[in-house]
Amino acid sequence: MPTAGPPPRRRVTMSDVARRAGVSATTASFVLAGRTDMRISEAARQRVQEAARALGYRPNAIARSLRTRSTRTIGLVSDTITTTPYAGEVIRGALEAARDREHLLFITETGGDPGAEPGLVDALLDRDVDAVIYAAMYTRTVAPPPQLRGRRVVLLNCLAPGFCAPSVVPDERGAGRTAARALLEAGHREGVWAVGGRGLAHRPPDGLLAGHDRLRGLTEELAAAGAALAGTSECGWEADDGRRAVAELLARGGPAPRALVCATDRTAFGAYQALADAGLRVPGDVSVLSFDDQDFASWLRPGLTTLALPHHALGRAAVDLVLGGPRPLAPEVHRVPVPLRARGSVGPPAAGGGRVHSPGADGERQGRERTT
Amino acid sequence: MPTAGPPPRRRVTMSDVARRAGVSATTASFVLAGRTDMRISEAARQRVQEAARALGYRPNAIARSLRTRSTRTIGLVSDTITTTPYAGEVIRGALEAARDREHLLFITETGGDPGAEPGLVDALLDRDVDAVIYAAMYTRTVAPPPQLRGRRVVLLNCLAPGFCAPSVVPDERGAGRTAARALLEAGHREGVWAVGGRGLAHRPPDGLLAGHDRLRGLTEELAAAGAALAGTSECGWEADDGRRAVAELLARGGPAPRALVCATDRTAFGAYQALADAGLRVPGDVSVLSFDDQDFASWLRPGLTTLALPHHALGRAAVDLVLGGPRPLAPEVHRVPVPLRARGSVGPPAAGGGRVHSPGADGERQGRERTT
DNA sequence: GTGAAAGCGCTAACAT
DNA sequence: ATGTTAGCGCTTTCAC
């Protein structure tokens, strides 16, 4: 005796529909697939549709896939992307695009363990995904596992030299230029420091690409205006790193910085703290600009002006490309624009040369006033 | 290593393996499935394994699924879960558990549009997922779509009255008690305010469950110590809401608050700002405690003491339950502990009666407090 | 011990 | 204009 719950649901199949409509499975298949390349009488079509609706028919995607070799499914394999605060956005962008194209998305993550990768990719391939998106948390070069060769793959937020697949990455160089322009427009021409981003100054594949390209864009644009970076303070990516780096920057001798270009919003957060500790105001004494646009950027006072890494657009673009791109895919790199979110942290440089805030209630600071 | 060369031509199938091993597909199937309930000679077993390895054989999961009706796949359907900063953690927890059990995870999201839900669920069901996890961004009551009835479902971070499925939610009431205890242990007995969380005081299903249960735990535990909440300041969930609510709280007459229990880290962030604006120090003048444990909680100065909503554990538990739980699943609610992350924002109450500090000159504000 | 044969539910040549 | 037949790659009786 079955339980009182839902009826013992034998799934309704296409031949159930065909039988009820009084046609063959073939005919049913054609009308249900909405195909027109075979002539079906209007009457038959009606009966099939009607039967399908009456029976609550839903095609079995598994059976269909076995036959067609297409699962309408795509796999996302990432290092530790779900860990990062912006990951949600790339996943959401990918999800939206996948939904528009009636595909479902498998998400996997190696958790940073490269040894886990082959197993995950095999699991995806075993399930016959139509395509895979290989994603990295930070823009960098990667080496996708060999099983992926010859498959339909797009690289998200990474570049894979020697692996024939397109990449979708933020336009870091453009972002750097935009950053420079924002500063230039506010009147900054000197005392501009780059802070944060280990490997900021290295070139790929040793450092992160993001840092290298950004810095290039930044310096290029500055140079075009006859200006230059006053210096670079390398440090980690976190708030604490930024705070320490900026504290040291302020403590060292020399002309005071007028603008800080931080590698991440997190380092900018730390920069705000260090600046406040020194009694310096943003943007009155020092302008701050960064990259990411995490949500807290708008909560800070003043709001943090930052270049919004286009996570959502990246996710969307990757899926659109992998599903809708040419066959085979061309191994180009697609650079997605990085818009500026202008908030209050960039302003005109302090009038009268950079000086370190004079001693106040906060405590004695050495008079280190200098003109540049 | 088998395939080092060009892309796989025709996929190698089980009968390829069988042929090479000189056995039937049946035999190959048994040894490859590792089954022992049929006697296979050791020699045959060896040959099959060897052939499979040599050919780089991988079973076709689609074909297998069609036969076995099990896809080793699970679907996650959520409202806008990927949008929230903690979503990454629940996904990661779910991913880990799924991987341990050799399942793959489909992620879908309605984007808050309830009209999108049936389509998404159908897409999942069409692909024959073994189970689905129905998740909500904030703990609340939900009404899963009818197609899900009778399926193997677990509710993640939500409760569905009238829908027979287990739920996995944070132990909000316990969290409230823990919060109270932390305050009590620091010596707080009066001037404790609850701030933030629209619907904090409402009972389900009108308000968010989280708020109701938390508040209950908080008041219960306070009551057990003979203390009570000084009041509740309802407001939204964001930093700005918290800032305004606390500013008003401070501006109104009456005894000054000694401790603030904020609904989210974001409101606590705003509370820090309002407190700093009023020249009040944390925790010297006012203790602050909140819920979430977002990453910035540790960057604030002082570090924010908060109850860490167990997102990762929630994701794991949901998958473990849906895959490993009894058949059928019992509609119980599983409450996951919410650990306290003690940082610096809770301290002993200010000595002497609380008076609202009158804001002095701008220079009187401590730089460090202005940061937030 | 092992293999032949029958499907799982669907699509696509090839008939009529 | 519609039906027949043959698989897709695998599992699983059941017979030898």
Side-chain angles (χ1 to χ4, degrees):
Chain A
M1 192 61 211
T3 59
R9 231 191 337 266
R10 187 184 71 85
R11 185 163 184 156
V12 10
T13 148
M14 203 172 63
S15 56
D16 293 335
V17 174
R19 191 173 321 112
R20 182 184 236 257
V23 299
S24 73
T26 309
T27 305
S29 175
F30 270 78
V31 0
L32 292 172
R35 292 177 51 167
T36 57
D37 50 329
M38 198 189 192
R39 282 172 305 269
I40 302 282
S41 68
E42 191 49 34
R45 153 168 280 110
Q46 294 286 7
R47 291 206 312 281
V48 171
Q49 305 258 11
E50 162 59 22
R53 199 172 34 237
L55 261 25
Y57 172 73
R58 294 243 94 213
N60 180 329
I62 297 294
R64 174 180 295 176
S65 297
L66 181 58
R67 193 63 237 249
T68 61
R69 317 250 49 159
S70 162
T71 51
R72 303 192 80 74
T73 265
I74 114 175
L76 172 71
V77 12
S78 65
D79 42 11
T80 57
I81 200 165
T82 58
T83 313
T84 106
Y86 355 88
E89 280 305 305
V90 356
I91 293 177
R92 210 160 60 80
L95 243 27
E96 276 181 23
R99 193 167 108 192
D100 289 349
R101 295 169 182 274
E102 299 185 282
H103 278 243
L104 243 34
L105 191 64
F106 277 123
I107 305 250
T108 65
E109 174 175 284
T110 62
D113 171 17
E117 207 172 77
L120 255 16
V121 170
D122 278 342
L124 252 14
L125 262 21
D126 287 350
R127 274 146 182 112
D128 247 346
V129 291
D130 293 345
V132 356
I133 292 181
Y134 187 91
M137 172 162 57
Y138 298 118
T139 313
R140 51 184 252 260
T141 60
V142 294
Q147 303 103 297
L148 248 23
R149 289 197 179 272
R151 305 283 181 165
R152 200 162 172 86
V153 172
V154 352
L155 273 8
L156 175 48
N157 207 24
C158 52
L159 260 24
F163 185 93
C164 182
S167 285
V168 176
V169 297
D171 180 9
E172 295 284 356
R173 188 167 163 202
R177 305 185 91 115
T178 306
R181 225 170 298 123
L183 257 16
L184 255 9
E185 279 167 14
H188 291 275
R189 316 198 92 254
E190 23 194 58
V192 177
W193 284 76
V195 4
R198 219 190 303 282
L200 196 62
H202 299 335
R203 51 161 37 90
D206 307 84
L208 270 351
L209 276 61
H212 178 259
D213 286 356
R214 252 182 223 173
L215 200 54
R216 193 163 67 143
L218 187 65
T219 52
E220 277 173 357
E221 194 75 11
L222 248 20
L229 228 39
T232 292
S233 167
E234 291 201 25
C235 68
W237 302 94
E238 304 307 324
D240 225 48
D241 299 314
R243 189 177 48 68
R244 275 196 303 263
V246 173
E248 281 167 25
L249 190 58
L250 296 174
R252 98 198 189 298
R258 300 281 198 61
L260 266 19
V261 178
C262 298
T264 66
D265 287 348
R266 289 162 290 156
T267 45
F269 188 100
Y272 268 46
Q273 295 179 322
L275 257 12
D277 288 349
L280 259 18
R281 282 163 324 165
V282 177
D285 298 309
V286 180
S287 286
V288 177
L289 186 147
S290 67
F291 297 81
D292 276 353
D293 196 28
Q294 283 194 250
D295 44 13
F296 66 79
S298 64
W299 311 339
L300 291 174
R301 293 183 306 179
L304 180 57
T305 292
T306 185
L307 281 125
L309 254 23
H311 301 286
H312 185 267
L314 249 22
R316 257 211 100 93
V319 169
D320 282 337
L321 181 59
V322 86
L323 253 21
R327 339 208 125 229
L329 252 8
E332 315 164 315
V333 5
H334 299 253
R335 299 188 190 278
V336 180
V338 181
L340 177 74
R341 294 270 182 274
R343 287 192 265 252
S345 65
V346 172
R355 58 172 179 76
V356 170
H357 185 276
S358 58
D362 190 43
E364 296 298 315
R365 302 198 65 87
Q366 293 162 345
R368 215 187 286 111
E369 303 192 6
R370 255 163 223 177
T371 8
T372 34
Chain B
M1 283 266 66
T3 48
R9 45 303 94 164
R10 190 180 69 82
R11 183 165 183 158
V12 9
T13 148
M14 203 172 64
S15 57
D16 293 334
V17 174
R19 191 173 320 113
R20 184 184 234 256
V23 299
S24 73
T26 308
T27 304
S29 175
F30 271 77
V31 0
L32 292 172
R35 291 175 53 164
T36 57
D37 51 329
M38 198 191 193
R39 280 171 302 276
I40 303 281
S41 68
E42 190 49 35
R45 155 167 279 110
Q46 294 286 8
R47 290 207 312 280
V48 171
Q49 305 255 9
E50 160 59 22
R53 199 172 31 240
L55 261 23
Y57 172 73
R58 294 244 93 211
N60 179 330
I62 297 293
R64 174 180 295 175
S65 298
L66 182 58
R67 194 62 236 252
T68 61
R69 317 251 52 164
S70 163
T71 52
R72 304 193 79 76
T73 265
I74 114 175
L76 173 71
V77 12
S78 64
D79 42 9
T80 57
I81 200 164
T82 58
T83 313
T84 107
Y86 357 88
E89 281 304 305
V90 358
I91 293 177
R92 210 161 60 80
L95 244 27
E96 276 181 23
R99 193 167 108 192
D100 289 349
R101 296 169 182 274
E102 299 184 284
H103 279 243
L104 242 34
L105 191 64
F106 277 122
I107 305 251
T108 66
E109 175 174 283
T110 63
D113 170 18
E117 207 173 77
L120 255 17
V121 170
D122 279 342
L124 252 14
L125 262 21
D126 288 349
R127 271 140 184 118
D128 246 346
V129 292
D130 292 346
V132 356
I133 292 181
Y134 187 91
M137 172 163 56
Y138 298 118
T139 314
R140 52 184 251 260
T141 60
V142 294
Q147 303 102 298
L148 248 22
R149 290 200 178 269
R151 304 285 181 163
R152 201 163 172 86
V153 172
V154 353
L155 273 8
L156 175 48
N157 207 25
C158 52
L159 260 25
F163 185 92
C164 182
S167 285
V168 177
V169 297
D171 180 9
E172 296 283 356
R173 187 169 164 202
R177 306 185 89 115
T178 305
R181 226 172 295 123
L183 256 17
L184 255 10
E185 279 167 13
H188 291 274
R189 318 199 92 253
E190 25 194 58
V192 177
W193 283 76
V195 4
R198 219 190 302 281
L200 195 63
H202 299 334
R203 51 163 34 92
D206 307 84
L208 269 351
L209 276 59
H212 179 259
D213 286 358
R214 249 181 224 174
L215 198 55
R216 191 163 69 144
L218 186 64
T219 52
E220 277 173 359
E221 193 75 11
L222 247 22
L229 227 41
T232 292
S233 166
E234 290 201 25
C235 68
W237 302 94
E238 303 308 323
D240 225 47
D241 299 314
R243 189 177 48 69
R244 273 197 304 264
V246 173
E248 280 167 26
L249 190 58
L250 297 175
R252 100 199 184 298
R258 300 283 198 58
L260 266 17
V261 179
C262 298
T264 66
D265 287 349
R266 288 163 290 156
T267 45
F269 188 99
Y272 268 47
Q273 294 179 322
L275 258 12
D277 287 347
L280 260 18
R281 283 163 324 164
V282 177
D285 298 307
V286 180
S287 286
V288 177
L289 187 147
S290 67
F291 296 80
D292 276 354
D293 197 26
Q294 281 195 249
D295 44 12
F296 66 79
S298 64
W299 311 340
L300 292 174
R301 291 182 307 176
L304 180 58
T305 292
T306 185
L307 281 124
L309 253 23
H311 301 285
H312 186 267
L314 249 22
R316 256 210 102 92
V319 169
D320 282 339
L321 182 60
V322 86
L323 253 23
R327 334 208 131 231
L329 252 8
E332 314 165 316
V333 5
H334 300 254
R335 299 187 189 278
V336 181
V338 181
L340 178 75
R341 295 269 182 276
R343 289 193 264 251
S345 65
V346 173
R355 261 248 141 273
V356 171
H357 182 281
S358 67
D362 181 72
E364 182 179 322
R365 306 202 327 217
Q366 301 265 347
R368 58 170 47 199
E369 288 163 347
R370 300 188 58 247
T371 305
T372 56

